[in-house]
Amino acid sequence: MRIVLGVGGGIAAYKAAELTRLLQQSGHQVQVVMTDAAREFIQPLTFAALTGRKVITSLFSHESSDATLSSAVEHIAVAQEHDLLVVAPATADLLAKLAIGRADDFLSTLYLAFTGTVVLAPAMNTAMWTHPATQANLETLSRRGCEIVDPDDGWLACGTVGAGRLADPARIAERINSLGKTRRDFEGETFLVTAGPTQEALDPVRYISNRSSGKMGYTIAETAAKRGAKVVLVSGPVNIPAPRNVELIPVKTAHEMRQAVMEQLTDATIIVKCAAVADYYVANVSPQKLKKTAARLSLELDPTPDILAEVGQKKADRILVGFAAETQNLLEESRRKLLSKNCDMLVGNLVNQEGAGFESDQNDVEIVTRSGRTVHAGPASKYEIAERILDEIAMLRLSIRGMDRIA
Ligand code: PMT
């Protein structure tokens, strides 16, 4: 793609150089535009050296003898010649400017003239990020179709820890790469996705849970929404933001997850059960905090409802995709769960493998279907794995609908 990279004036501006390099390595052509404030943090020369192109810094700075004319039209020409505009870091001020449509420098003027895909990667102090004004501006920009790469949590330049750190350049580049491939092939479908762990209480302060971060399920939900589906995401407690354009139903326990899934089942056409649901819950939750004693403590656990198996019984012509978290015999266990839970497709992953399964940004999966198809995907980012799973669902949908027609 031909990409314009707009660099805003924040301490994270230096990371835009790494983003430039990653985009070029992915085969994109990059034209950098810097705001005045960005030039306080990093020199245009850095980007000019990386891209081999003049960096655009102002509406009115041109070497041309007919400066007035070329200034007046350059933002239009740049807008027409590029496929994607990414702003990184997008400061609170820049977001506000873009949201109200103010055009007082090259970047904000370009944004108004731009008709291609816009990606915004915000970076700022946590209080500025969570301020209702910033969130309202983001909401406006997101509704207008801008893709937002949410910031990470971590150490900030102001010496505090929290949300607001520019997303890792690799994550921004990956998101841009996945956008290049976006199709709206799931328009008209309603996805019901489950994600994250469940928490089963022992007493008012303790619970049994697992290491699921929600990343895999959230990425599937986000990808399905991008590919045109209406998406309902039933999620256990996680620490990642809900994807945009997705209806989030937060739950805690396996029983709550079951209830939410059953309530949403009627409208769903494709169900992806990625959540790591507890297999057992504590039979007698203590109403008071359990006291520590020298004696051994035994817990009595009852099995939780198997939501996937229940959906498998009620699914009718819906497409049902289950997951299997295994530590050995991945293919055998995946095929066994596919059949025993009446799924159409099952995605198995080894959760004891480095760079796969729980918490990781990557996964490595075996996808098995009832027709006997087996596909290996990974190791790759959870974004790529999500795209791959959706590609397989699209193929499955085609074969199921084809068979329906014959029947
Ligand atoms: O969240 P991340 O950190 O990104 O990690 C991703 C993941 C490892 C959680 C994900 O890739 C994954 O493997 N999810 C399934 C986890 C799991 O519970 O696997 P299982 O083999 O125990 O269960 C099989 C299937 O039955 C799953 O679809 C599960 O959602 C479902 N199930 C299980 C128990 C239960 N009581 N009800 C269910 O519906």
Side-chain angles (χ1 to χ4, degrees):
M1 285 187 286
R2 292 160 306 170
I3 296 175
V4 184
L5 169 58
V7 184
I11 188 73
Y14 75 95
K15 292 188 185 169
E18 168 73 354
L19 178 60
T20 303
R21 201 181 54 79
L22 290 169
L23 292 174
Q24 287 178 315
Q25 280 174 354
S26 300
H28 306 300
Q29 175 192 301
V30 182
Q31 168 66 60
V32 175
V33 173
M34 296 178 79
T35 64
D36 286 349
R39 285 187 293 140
E40 298 289 331
F41 291 91
I42 184 167
Q43 290 296 311
L45 186 60
T46 306
F47 296 105
L50 283 170
T51 61
R53 291 163 175 269
K54 184 189 79 167
V55 172
I56 302 175
T57 54
S58 159
L59 269 172
F60 303 108
S61 63
H62 295 283
E63 290 120 39
S64 156
S65 54
D66 191 3
T68 315
L69 179 64
S70 68
S71 321
V73 296
E74 188 171 11
H75 61 281
I76 304 291
V78 172
Q80 286 171 348
E81 284 163 9
H82 290 82
D83 309 302
L84 186 139
L85 166 64
V86 54
V87 184
T91 59
D93 176 55
L94 258 175
L95 293 175
K97 233 191 233 187
L98 304 187
I100 61 168
R102 183 161 181 188
D104 63 352
D105 64 5
F106 194 96
L107 185 53
S108 51
T109 310
L110 172 68
Y111 165 75
L112 286 186
F114 200 76
T115 53
T117 308
V118 178
V119 177
L120 303 171
M124 63 199 74
N125 151 278
T126 307
M128 293 170 78
W129 168 247
T130 52
H131 196 285
T134 304
Q135 290 302 313
N137 289 334
L138 275 166
E139 195 57 46
T140 303
L141 292 162
S142 172
R143 264 204 315 273
R144 254 181 233 153
C146 294
E147 292 283 333
I148 316 289
V149 186
D150 284 321
D152 288 334
D153 274 20
W155 279 101
L156 300 170
C158 52
T160 58
V161 179
R165 195 171 67 176
L166 182 70
D168 190 66
R171 185 151 73 85
I172 304 172
E174 193 177 280
R175 184 71 168 272
I176 289 168
N177 289 338
S178 74
L179 282 172
K181 297 175 208 148
T182 300
R183 291 147 284 167
R184 294 189 65 80
D185 52 349
F186 284 103
E187 237 154 32
E189 301 285 2
T190 300
F191 269 68
L192 171 57
V193 181
T194 69
T198 62
Q199 291 178 352
E200 310 301 329
L202 270 69
D203 68 15
V205 296
R206 304 180 182 95
Y207 56 79
I208 300 173
S209 191
N210 60 65
R211 288 171 37 216
S212 173
S213 63
K215 286 178 188 172
M216 189 69 253
Y218 275 50
T219 311
I220 291 170
E222 182 178 347
T223 308
K226 254 193 289 162
R227 285 171 67 161
K230 176 174 184 275
V231 181
V232 177
L233 173 61
V234 177
S235 172
V238 296
N239 292 317
I240 53 175
R244 288 168 203 276
N245 306 320
V246 159
E247 184 192 340
L248 177 72
I249 303 180
V251 296
K252 269 204 177 125
T253 65
H255 284 89
E256 286 174 14
M257 186 169 277
R258 180 200 163 272
Q259 191 178 337
V261 166
M262 294 309 157
E263 280 170 9
Q264 297 299 321
L265 196 57
T266 317
D267 292 340
T269 56
I270 298 174
I271 303 131
V272 183
K273 290 240 29 321
C274 186
V277 188
D279 287 322
Y280 294 92
Y281 72 105
V282 181
N284 294 311
V285 178
S286 167
Q288 305 302 332
K289 185 181 170 198
L290 293 166
K291 294 287 178 215
K292 182 182 167 190
T293 67
R296 170 174 286 169
L297 175 70
S298 296
L299 291 173
E300 269 199 15
L301 303 175
D302 278 343
T304 54
D306 190 322
I307 311 167
L308 181 60
E310 189 176 343
V311 174
Q313 293 312 308
K314 298 179 175 162
K315 77 183 194 69
D317 58 356
R318 297 173 185 88
I319 293 177
L320 178 59
V321 180
F323 266 70
E326 304 297 335
T327 53
Q328 58 182 345
N329 305 329
L330 183 60
L331 268 176
E332 294 88 314
E333 281 305 306
S334 300
R335 288 196 185 114
R336 188 184 63 75
K337 286 181 181 170
L338 170 84
L339 299 177
S340 68
K341 302 196 185 209
N342 198 31
C343 299
D344 298 292
M345 180 190 290
L346 197 125
V347 182
N349 45 191
L350 283 175
V351 288
N352 53 351
Q353 180 185 323
E354 178 111 357
F358 292 118
E359 293 165 323
S360 171
D361 287 335
Q362 296 220 315
N363 211 351
D364 192 6
V365 302
E366 296 287 353
I367 303 173
V368 295
T369 69
R370 288 188 83 82
S371 64
R373 184 172 161 80
T374 303
V375 176
H376 181 106
S381 72
K382 283 184 173 166
Y383 275 103
E384 282 175 65
I385 298 290
E387 290 281 2
R388 196 62 203 275
I389 291 169
L390 290 195
D391 289 347
E392 289 297 322
I393 295 175
M395 278 177 58
L396 192 64
R397 179 179 59 173
L398 197 68
S399 71
I400 289 173
R401 293 200 178 154
M403 275 168 8
D404 275 349
R405 251 180 251 123
I406 293 162

